[in-house]
Structure formats: structure tokens, C-alpha cells
Amino acid sequence: MREFSQELAAELASGASHFCRCWLVVRADGQRMGFTDHDRDLRFDGDTYLAETGLTGSAVETATGLAVDNAQAFGALSAAGLREEDILAGRYDRAEVRLYLVDWQVPENRILQFRGRLGEIERGAVAFEAELRGLADDLNQKMGRAYVPNCDASLGDTRCGVALEAPYVLARALIRQDGARRLIVAATGLEPGWFSRGYAEWQSGKLAGLRSLIRDDSPHEDGHVLELWDDATLTPAPGDALRLIAGCDKRAETCRTKFANLLNFRGFPHIPGEDWVTAVPDDKTVHDGGKLLNGR
């Protein structure tokens, strides 16, 4: 239940039109950006809310219980506000959003109408439309473990236990970009496929703070080539620093041979598959578990 101050309640009851909306967007990298549909900038709680950014919003739909609050924000892409290249790079993925109803004459008279995260963002050449998802949306996420042959831990987390250091983490510099999905990095003597299914963390340049997922990698005459899953949204510059994280295909054999970490393997490699469950026994086949255990 929302609590109104006496001053705000009196202002709302008077029917005065001294109210505007203010949006605060907090990205995962900590950058805070404020916007308002008022005709001048506002400031409160240490944040500045910029006017004339072309940002508007639909009405916030709220519900009791565990239903998800929904809203949408519409705006223009401009240097003073959201930039298309940042949206394409994923800098606003799941960014926190707060929507305030503010008395622009006395900004201390305000109420938080919505708090959640950015969902799907559709953008055009000069405008964007963003879905706002309430905090209750997290309750729609699936929880718990599944009994599957492959590991369900993330490389380097507390359940995995692998230390993310050399040789599983390497710091390298970009030599050049070769096409939308190929990067040539300064490295020699690396095993082919060592970083497949891993990722590159950009440490400097336009992509600093972002990750690029690695599809495959192999030696190259100029160093080492990384094949990315997605097209590069921004063009990196030669010399940009990367932190390369080794890939893991989640198989028990990889956990044993590549990471020497089989004791922490979080999958169930010997669980029967659907073909075993539906198999019909006969007296002509040797049932020693060989196909299940050894892949024969």
C-alpha cells in the first residue's frame, strides 16, 4: 500500500496540475540516468532528471497479490538520453527503472509509482519503445534443479569451484576486427577450441564492460581468431583490451580433462535417456551398460 505525505495528498485532492513524471534508469554498470516529461530539469535525491528528452510513458497498471505491474516507456534516441548504440550493445538489459509522480513546484512532494526493470526494447532509427516489468516478474522465473546429464553450474561460480585464472583466463589485446563476428587477438600457442562457449570481457574501448560470447576459436597467422555468436554492435579499435574466459561444454569428460574438477561436477552423466527408458529387452543384445556409459 502506497503512503502519501500530507502535503502530497492535499495537492492531489486540490485538483492542481503541478505534477509530472520522472524516470530513473540505473544500468548494470552503475550509470544513473534521469528523465522527466516536465519542461525543465528537476533534481532530487542526488539525481538530475533531464527535460526535453522526448521520453513519455503509458499508464502504470498495478494489481494486488503477485500479479506483475506493467507499463511502457516511449522516447526519442538522442545524445542527451538513450543512444541506439548503447541499446544494441546491451547496456540497458534488465536495467532498474523507477517511475515517480512529482510535484514540479516542490519535488520533495512525490511518490514512487513503479519500480522494476527494462524488458524487451524495440528501437527504430530515431525512437524506441521499452517494456517495463515489475518486481513480481522475478517470481515467474523457474527455480530448482533439473536432473540432466550435463552440469548446471557456471564456470567459476561457488558450485563449480574452478579458479578463474590462467590458463582459464587470459588478458589479450585486439589486433583487428575481421568481419561482423571475427576478432583477431594477439595470442600464439593457444589450443584450438579452448575458448569455445566462453566469452570475452572488454576492458577498454567502446565495448568496455560488455561481454561477447565466443562460438569457436582457432590459431591464425596473425595470432588467434575468435568467432562470436552475434554480430558486433559497436566497432572495437585495434589495441582494445580483452579478458578471455575459457569455455565449458558442461560434459563430465570436459570437467575431468580440461578443468580437473570432476569432484565438483554438478550433472548426472549416468542418468538413463529416453531411448533407454523405452527400450525393449531381448536375448540377443549384451546389456552391460556399455552404450549408456561409454557412448558406444
Side-chain angles (χ1 to χ4, degrees):
M1 182 177 178
R2 295 187 176 91
E3 296 183 1
F4 292 79
S5 66
Q6 293 183 355
E7 295 80 2
L8 181 60
E11 188 72 15
L12 289 170
S14 68
S17 57
H18 298 156
F19 291 94
C20 64
R21 286 180 175 175
C22 292
W23 293 265
L24 178 65
V25 179
V26 183
R27 300 189 329 198
D29 59 7
Q31 181 170 342
R32 304 167 71 90
M33 305 179 70
F35 311 93
T36 179
D37 57 7
H38 189 43
D39 57 4
R40 62 181 176 86
D41 296 349
L42 297 176
R43 183 174 177 82
F44 54 86
D45 289 345
D47 295 304
T48 300
Y49 297 80
L50 302 178
E52 300 181 357
T53 56
L55 189 68
T56 59
S58 65
V60 178
E61 298 178 2
T62 60
T64 58
L66 300 179
V68 178
D69 294 346
N70 293 308
Q72 285 182 315
F74 311 89
L77 297 167
S78 65
L82 303 176
R83 298 186 301 173
E84 182 181 18
E85 63 182 32
D86 290 333
I87 294 176
L88 290 173
R91 295 189 186 277
Y92 289 92
D93 290 353
R94 292 185 62 79
E96 181 184 356
V97 179
R98 302 177 190 178
L99 171 59
Y100 295 91
L101 181 65
V102 182
D103 181 351
W104 52 264
Q105 290 185 326
V106 186
E108 289 72 20
N109 291 339
R110 63 181 181 273
I111 186 171
L112 179 64
Q113 286 191 309
F114 174 90
R115 183 174 181 179
R117 295 184 179 89
L118 284 178
E120 183 177 355
I121 301 178
E122 297 181 0
R123 78 274 181 220
V126 295
F128 73 94
E129 177 180 338
E131 177 189 14
L132 306 182
R133 298 176 180 175
L135 296 177
D137 183 63
D138 289 342
L139 299 177
N140 292 328
Q141 306 300 318
K142 294 182 179 179
M143 304 293 290
R145 297 187 62 190
Y147 289 91
V148 294
N150 293 338
C151 180
D152 62 358
S154 297
L155 182 66
D157 68 10
T158 56
R159 298 176 63 238
C160 169
V162 170
L164 290 183
E165 57 189 26
Y168 307 124
V169 177
L170 297 177
R172 291 294 185 266
L174 177 68
I175 295 179
R176 69 176 185 273
Q177 182 178 355
D178 184 14
R181 299 190 182 185
R182 286 168 56 91
L183 303 175
I184 311 298
V185 298
T188 58
L190 297 180
E191 180 181 337
W194 189 257
F195 297 103
S196 299
R197 299 174 183 262
Y199 51 90
E201 291 182 341
W202 294 89
Q203 305 294 305
S204 64
K206 295 180 180 179
L207 294 170
L210 299 178
R211 284 184 175 183
S212 297
L213 299 179
I214 300 173
R215 182 176 182 271
D216 199 4
D217 67 296
S218 59
H220 188 272
E221 59 183 4
D222 294 330
H224 204 76
V225 59
L226 306 177
E227 300 278 355
L228 305 181
W229 279 104
D230 299 316
D231 294 347
T233 55
L234 298 175
T235 302
D240 285 353
L242 301 95
R243 183 171 177 259
L244 305 179
I245 312 297
C248 179
D249 60 9
K250 309 296 184 180
R251 297 187 305 118
E253 181 66 14
T254 302
C255 189
R256 181 178 67 84
T257 59
K258 184 174 182 177
F259 300 101
N261 193 47
L262 189 59
L263 290 179
N264 288 330
F265 185 73
R266 301 299 178 177
F268 303 87
H270 304 312
I271 191 171
E274 294 180 358
D275 56 340
W276 185 87
V277 173
T278 59
V280 178
D282 62 78
D283 58 1
K284 298 178 181 180
T285 304
V286 178
H287 299 283
D288 62 355
K291 183 176 181 180
L292 174 64
L293 300 179
N294 304 321
R296 298 199 303 267

